[in-house]
């Protein structure tokens, strides 16, 4: 099943997703490839035959679907970067809005001072004694007139500054709304492209399987749902600055011994917005049941092999999740999976990559008693399950030589699930009403 090596890359590429787990609705809905035509030249009494796309045609369709998906991922990444740029306080429109708001505040303060000057000048006029000279009365009147003129100018200046601030803030918010909308459209395009790619890959794989085409050495890696990986004891909320221990159970539910079973795990986390990855602040470790030494899961390699895993047997792996105290409140997901490799060259793995979602609470939080994290299972692509030659088998648990581009649909789905648990929309823009800046 050579599906694990690029998980980290796939998750990093996903970055942001809507708050729904991705699902695939294959374009090829029938059990067999959908492009079929009837041979109208056959006698009506004979069974009608149905033409199926050739392997070459399906390979071309799969390559085109992959190219479209790759372009969609790039476009989504660019849209995300554009949104992050507009959300920055240093973006041109954000800087302009800040300056306009500052100018509006200064104009408001100037108007207050000017209004007070009018009050003071009027008080001076009113306070003139009956014995005041004509010159004194004229001077006081002139000062009052000038104060009123200055106050009127300050009023007009404030009105203009307020209008400019509203316009600048609206322009900033409009840019952010447009960027968020564009990101949403890009995400939809990526989701559709992924569904189309998955369908094309599955159609190609099925056609090859029905055609009896084997791998380079005539043997196939196959999906094996009875090789299960289950997490227990991982809490649904983990407080930053703490560590939690849980268990990963790998079970061979088949009636045959698996010579070498390689478990795999990966953890991904973001802040509440779902925009910022906090992977560097969460650490996943593992230890075998017979060892007290903790090893770090590096997201690129299998854990140590279970050799062998007999029919109906299981093995438990001790797991530990540590969250740095500096980690912000957010969301996380731990993926687990398992592959097997036999000495006779056969291989496979469970096609359902399970993700156990959990919340990250800010350091010092006291969530109390919480339930265990629950799994969310995606439906991966299993198109490219051809076996690799013995020379490219994992060595000492390494995945360096076992990668396959066919893993991308499955793992992109998984990364979509990781991002789907983000804490809500990218941002909420509140439109300012008239007078907000007064």
């Amino acid at each position: 099943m050579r599906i694990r090596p690029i998980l980290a890359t796939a998750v990093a590429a996903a970055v942001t997703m809507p708050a729904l787990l991705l699902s695939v609705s294959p374009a090829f809905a029938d059990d067999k490839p959908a492009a079929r035509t009837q041979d109208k030249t056959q006698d009506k009494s004979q069974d009608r035959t149905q033409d199926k796309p050739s392997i070459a045609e399906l390979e071309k369709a799969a390559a085109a679907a992959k190219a479209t998906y790759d372009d969609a991922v790039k476009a989504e990444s660019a849209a995300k970067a554009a949104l992050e740029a507009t959300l920055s306080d240093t973006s041109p429109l954000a800087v302009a809005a800040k300056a306009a708001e500052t100018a509006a505040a200064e104009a408001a303060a100037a108007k207050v001072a000017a209004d007070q000057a009018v009050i003071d000048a009027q008080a001076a006029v009113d306070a003139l004694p009956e014995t005041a000279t004509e010159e004194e009365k004229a001077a006081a009147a002139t000062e009052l007139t000038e104060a009123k003129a200055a106050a009127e100018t300050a009023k007009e200046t404030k009105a203009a500054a307020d209008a400019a601030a509203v316009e600048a803030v609206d322009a900033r918010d409009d840019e952010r709304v447009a960027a968020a909308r564009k990101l949403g459209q890009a995400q939809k395009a990526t989701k559709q492209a992924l569904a189309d790619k998955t369908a094309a890959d599955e159609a190609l794989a099925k056609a090859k399987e029905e055609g009896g085409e084997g791998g380079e050495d005539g043997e196939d890696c196959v999906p094996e749902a009875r090789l299960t990986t289950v997490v227990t004891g991982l809490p649904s909320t983990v407080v930053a600055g703490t560590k939690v221990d849980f268990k990963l159970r790998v079970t061979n539910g088949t009636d045959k011994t698996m010579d070498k079973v390689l478990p795999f795990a990966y953890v991904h986390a973001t802040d509440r917005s779902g925009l910022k990855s906090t992977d560097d602040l969460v650490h996943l470790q593992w230890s075998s049941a017979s060892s007290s030494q903790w090893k770090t899961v590096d997201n690129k390699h299998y854990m140590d092999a279970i050799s062998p895993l007999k029919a109906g047997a299981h093995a438990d792996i001790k797991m530990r999740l540590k969250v740095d105290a500096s980690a912000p409140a957010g969301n996380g997901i731990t993926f687990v999976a398992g592959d097997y490799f036999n000495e006779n060259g056969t291989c496979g793995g469970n096609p359902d990559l399970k993700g156990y979602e959990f919340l990250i609470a800010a350091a010092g939080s006291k969530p109390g008693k919480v339930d265990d994290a629950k799994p969310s299972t995606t439906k991966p692509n299993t198109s490219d399950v051809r076996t690799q030659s013995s020379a490219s088998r994992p060595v000492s648990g390494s995945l360096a030589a076992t990668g396959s581009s066919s893993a991308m649909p499955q793992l992109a789905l998984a990364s979509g699930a990781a991002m789907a648990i983000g804490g809500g929309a990218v941002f909420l823009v509140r439109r300012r009403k008239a007078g907000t800046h007064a």
Side-chain angles (χ1 to χ4, degrees):
M1 289 295 289
R2 300 176 292 170
I3 60 176
R4 317 305 176 197
I6 62 169
L7 180 56
T9 303
V11 172
V15 183
T16 315
M17 282 288 177
L20 293 172
L21 292 178
L22 297 181
S23 60
V24 175
S25 300
F28 298 89
D30 295 335
D31 289 339
K32 295 184 179 181
R36 304 177 181 184
T37 59
Q38 292 183 333
D39 186 354
K40 296 183 180 180
T41 62
Q42 285 186 316
D43 187 89
K44 293 183 179 180
S45 64
Q46 297 177 339
D47 293 335
R48 296 180 182 272
T49 61
Q50 295 177 320
D51 295 332
K52 297 187 294 183
S54 67
I55 295 296
E57 290 172 333
L58 290 173
E59 287 177 338
K60 184 177 180 180
K66 181 181 183 303
T68 299
Y69 172 71
D70 290 343
D71 289 342
V73 169
K74 292 178 182 178
E76 182 181 332
S77 179
K80 173 186 173 294
L83 176 58
E84 290 178 332
T86 64
L87 292 176
S88 171
D89 291 338
T90 60
S91 71
L93 289 184
V95 171
K98 181 64 176 178
E101 289 176 323
T102 300
E106 292 174 349
K111 183 180 181 301
V112 170
D115 290 343
Q116 185 61 48
V118 171
I119 294 172
D120 293 343
Q122 183 64 59
V125 171
D126 295 340
L128 286 173
E130 293 182 0
T131 58
T133 65
E134 291 301 321
E135 291 180 353
E136 290 174 336
K137 292 178 181 180
T142 299
E143 184 174 350
L144 177 58
T145 300
E146 291 176 349
K148 288 182 177 180
E152 186 63 29
T153 299
K155 179 181 178 181
E156 294 173 356
T157 301
K158 179 183 180 301
D162 286 346
V166 170
E167 183 178 356
V169 170
D170 285 350
R172 179 200 65 190
D173 290 350
D174 287 345
E175 181 185 50
R176 291 178 175 180
V177 170
R181 184 180 294 113
K182 187 172 182 179
L183 176 58
Q185 293 170 345
Q187 289 170 340
K188 287 183 179 180
T190 300
K191 179 180 177 181
Q192 184 58 54
L194 179 58
D196 293 343
K197 180 184 183 305
T198 301
D201 288 342
E202 289 176 347
L204 175 60
K206 189 170 184 63
K208 287 183 177 181
E209 180 180 351
E210 291 176 349
E213 294 183 15
E216 293 178 355
D217 54 4
E219 296 165 340
D220 290 332
C221 283
V222 296
E224 181 49 79
R226 292 173 293 177
L227 175 60
T228 60
T229 49
V230 177
V231 165
T232 56
L234 174 63
S236 56
T237 298
V238 180
V239 178
T242 67
K243 60 185 177 183
V244 294
D245 292 345
F246 58 99
K247 181 174 68 176
L248 171 62
R249 172 163 289 188
V250 183
T251 302
N252 176 7
T254 71
D255 57 0
K256 296 180 180 179
T257 295
M258 295 177 177
D259 294 334
K260 179 184 293 185
V261 174
L262 296 171
F264 180 84
Y266 176 80
V267 65
H268 175 61
T270 70
D271 63 1
R272 283 177 175 168
S273 71
L275 284 174
K276 182 179 180 181
S277 170
T278 56
D279 285 356
D280 58 333
L281 302 178
V282 294
H283 314 282
L284 192 60
Q285 297 178 312
W286 67 276
S287 176
S288 64
S290 60
S291 172
S292 60
Q293 181 181 2
W294 290 100
K295 302 178 182 179
T296 299
V297 173
D298 65 3
N299 305 333
K300 297 179 181 179
H301 297 78
Y302 291 108
M303 300 178 215
D304 285 352
I306 304 168
S307 303
L309 188 60
K310 295 183 178 180
H314 68 261
D316 290 335
I317 301 172
K318 294 182 290 185
M319 306 293 297
R320 173 172 288 176
L321 177 65
K322 299 170 65 177
V323 182
D324 291 354
S326 58
N331 311 278
I333 187 165
T334 295
F335 296 104
V336 294
D339 297 335
Y340 73 87
F341 298 86
N342 292 329
E343 293 179 358
N344 62 6
T346 58
C347 55
N350 194 317
D352 292 336
L353 186 65
K354 290 184 178 179
Y356 289 78
E357 303 169 4
F358 58 91
L359 297 176
I360 298 176
S365 301
K366 296 182 179 180
K369 182 176 177 59
V370 297
D371 296 332
D372 285 353
K374 304 300 181 184
S376 296
T377 304
T378 63
K379 294 298 182 183
N381 166 57
T382 56
S383 62
D384 183 8
V385 293
R386 303 301 179 187
T387 187
Q388 58 203 344
S389 67
S390 59
S392 62
R393 302 289 172 167
V395 178
S396 300
S398 173
L399 284 173
T402 62
S404 169
S405 61
S406 68
M408 182 60 75
Q410 171 177 5
L411 302 180
L413 280 172
S415 63
M419 302 316 299
I421 63 174
V426 174
F427 68 94
L428 177 63
V429 174
R430 294 184 295 125
R431 177 70 65 190
R432 285 159 171 76
K433 297 181 181 179
T436 298
H437 303 288

